Amino acid sequence: DAGITQSPRHKVTETGTPVTLRCHQTENHRYMYWYRQDPGHGLRLIHYSYGVKDTDKGEVSDGYSVSRSKTEDFLLTLESATSSQTSVYFCAIRGGPDTQYFGPGTRLTVL
Amino acid sequence: GIQVEQSPPDLILQEGANSTLRCNFSDSVNNLQWFHQNPWGQLINLFYIPSGTKQNGRLSATTVATERYSLLYISSSQTTDSGVYFCAVGEGGSEKLVFGKGTKLTVNP
């Protein structure tokens, strides 16, 4: 257990509404990641952070933004949710050495 | 970008059997990890193994970086080994892990 929590764990929302998912860690890890998991695609990196206010894009970043104002929290925002963003979202941290540990996931449904 | 292929996509075993899962990748990597996703969706890191061999109980993994593949061995499988096994690789200097599509393992009692 790498001390990672995600909230909410489940969310149903409507197309066009903004959504923010939160990832919280308790062990002061520098690197944090957001992935999405879809059937037939495995996990794909959305964005990652390498420190407070330092973020970079991943493989599938279109339609998503992130923020990290303090070490322990990494937020993923869907400015205007679409049905194609229905997915399971996982947050991860980088422990040592270069090993990633995942949170429990958030299941998001966009109607 | 780097491509990751896992085989087989599905595997069904009887409890007690052994199995080998394979991960092929298309370019040089400096990071390779194996993960297990249990039937409840939780992702557990099994191995960080960019090269060489490691063992942890009934599980072991070998990566031959020069030939661009990694193998995950499961011996004396148990029903709790069921789930999806993912291989993920990262290229030099990159934080970005690329995941394969996984091998779904079902172990029947």
Side-chain angles (χ1 to χ4, degrees), chain B residues 51-96:
Chain B
S51 63
T53 298
K54 289 186 177 179
Q55 183 161 3
N56 185 2
R58 296 180 297 103
L59 273 60
S60 64
T62 295
T63 298
V64 183
T66 53
E67 297 187 21
R68 300 181 183 169
Y69 73 89
S70 183
L71 302 174
L72 179 69
Y73 305 96
I74 304 174
S75 65
S76 304
S77 59
Q78 301 176 357
T79 56
T80 52
D81 294 330
S82 294
V84 182
Y85 290 81
F86 290 102
C87 168
V89 303
E91 298 177 275
S94 172
E95 279 299 316
K96 302 176 184 180

Side-chain angles (χ1 to χ4, degrees), chain B residues 2-99:
Chain B
I2 195 166
Q3 305 295 313
V4 182
E5 292 188 5
Q6 291 186 241
S7 59
D10 294 278
L11 186 58
I12 300 174
L13 302 174
Q14 287 299 122
E15 202 167 24
N18 302 328
S19 61
T20 301
L21 283 58
R22 188 176 180 102
C23 172
N24 291 332
F25 42 95
S26 61
D27 209 340
S28 299
V29 300
N30 71 340
N31 191 336
L32 190 146
Q33 300 180 43
W34 283 97
F35 297 88
H36 174 223
Q37 187 170 38
N38 65 25
W40 297 271
Q42 186 179 10
L43 280 155
I44 303 297
N45 191 293
L46 298 175
F47 294 104
Y48 166 75
I49 187 166
S51 63
T53 298
K54 289 186 177 179
Q55 183 161 3
N56 185 2
R58 296 180 297 103
L59 273 60
S60 64
T62 295
T63 298
V64 183
T66 53
E67 297 187 21
R68 300 181 183 169
Y69 73 89
S70 183
L71 302 174
L72 179 69
Y73 305 96
I74 304 174
S75 65
S76 304
S77 59
Q78 301 176 357
T79 56
T80 52
D81 294 330
S82 294
V84 182
Y85 290 81
F86 290 102
C87 168
V89 303
E91 298 177 275
S94 172
E95 279 299 316
K96 302 176 184 180
L97 278 184
V98 177
F99 280 73

